[in-house]
């Protein structure tokens, strides 16, 4: 019964179960992500992405992808939303991210890229992630599903940061 691969004690930060946000808040987040997607700058790929973060206290923060001629410097919508949330909130009062939503023009809901998963683990470890396709199909994950066994602050021996 005891699976030796699963530690008995997980650090507290890794044990919190994401709570599914209210339907109305999910809709608000998707609406904002659609607006953000309309503002995306994707002249090279033509693949526009909108994102929105919903925090535990009901605040929303948008993001869109911003491409650059040196392609590798492109910023994804999810990381843009995290950066915007960081700039817009006082660290002492920063509420945790409950939900991250992503909208694209793809036929299927698209999961965040690897770089964004790394950011999500650091800034929104207990969040739910929902992606919506061009035809409104949705898919849901947790950040932990998307990046199990992450390299994070605890890996550095520094302990988890007190605030996201
Ligand atoms: N993109 C995002 O905005 N988020 C992701 O998670 C995947 C990719 C953007 C980056 C680039 O501008 C375009 O989509 C094509 O890769």
């Amino acid at each position: 019964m005891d699976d030796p691969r699963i530690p008995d004690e997980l650090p507290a930060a890794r044990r919190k179960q994401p709570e599914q946000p209210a339907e109305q808040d999910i809709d608000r987040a998707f609406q904002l992500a659609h607006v953000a997607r309309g503002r995306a700058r994707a002249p090279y790929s033509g693949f526009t992405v909108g994102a929105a973060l919903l925090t535990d206290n009901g605040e929303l923060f948008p993001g869109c992808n911003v491409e650059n001629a040196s392609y590798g410097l492109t910023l994804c919508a999810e990381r843009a939303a995290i950066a915007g949330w960081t700039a817009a909130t006082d660290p002492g009062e920063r509420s945790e991210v409950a939900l991250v939503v992503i909208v694209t023009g793809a036929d299927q809901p698209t999961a965040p890229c690897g770089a964004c998963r790394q950011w999500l683990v650091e800034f929104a470890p207990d969040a739910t992630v929902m992606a919506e396709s061009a035809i409104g199909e949705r898919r849901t994950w947790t950040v932990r599903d998307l990046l199990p066994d992450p390299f994070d602050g605890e890996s550095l021996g520094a302990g988890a940061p007190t605030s996201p």
Side-chain angles (χ1 to χ4, degrees):
M1 206 157 77
D2 282 346
D3 185 334
R5 294 167 300 180
I6 302 173
D8 292 337
E9 289 289 329
L10 287 175
R14 296 184 181 185
R15 254 184 279 132
K16 201 172 151 193
Q17 287 302 311
E19 263 177 50
Q20 186 74 5
E23 216 46 56
Q24 195 187 337
D25 286 332
I26 295 172
D27 288 345
R28 286 168 59 223
F30 272 111
Q31 277 166 24
L32 187 63
H34 279 286
V35 173
R37 183 178 168 229
R39 296 172 178 164
R41 183 180 190 273
Y44 305 110
S45 72
F47 190 84
T48 54
V49 185
L53 308 184
L54 171 76
T55 59
D56 277 343
N57 63 1
E59 288 183 296
L60 287 167
F61 300 91
C64 63
N65 55 333
V66 183
E67 295 188 348
N68 186 275
S70 65
Y71 295 170
L73 293 184
T74 289
L75 182 62
C76 290
E78 298 89 327
R79 280 177 288 145
I82 291 169
W85 164 63
T86 304
T89 52
D90 191 343
E93 287 159 27
R94 201 166 287 150
S95 182
E96 280 184 41
V97 177
L99 174 71
V100 180
V101 303
I102 302 156
V103 296
T104 68
D107 293 345
Q108 308 285 330
T110 60
C113 80
C116 289
R117 292 178 197 208
Q118 183 67 27
W119 270 51
L120 289 168
V121 154
E122 178 116 8
F123 292 95
D126 299 311
T128 297
V129 179
M130 296 179 77
E132 189 182 87
S133 72
I135 56 162
E137 188 193 337
R138 288 183 185 174
R139 204 168 155 196
T140 303
W141 305 265
T142 63
V143 169
R144 295 288 175 204
D145 291 336
L146 294 171
L147 191 61
D149 300 322
F151 180 85
D152 58 11
E154 286 178 23
S155 315
L156 292 172
T162 49
S163 127

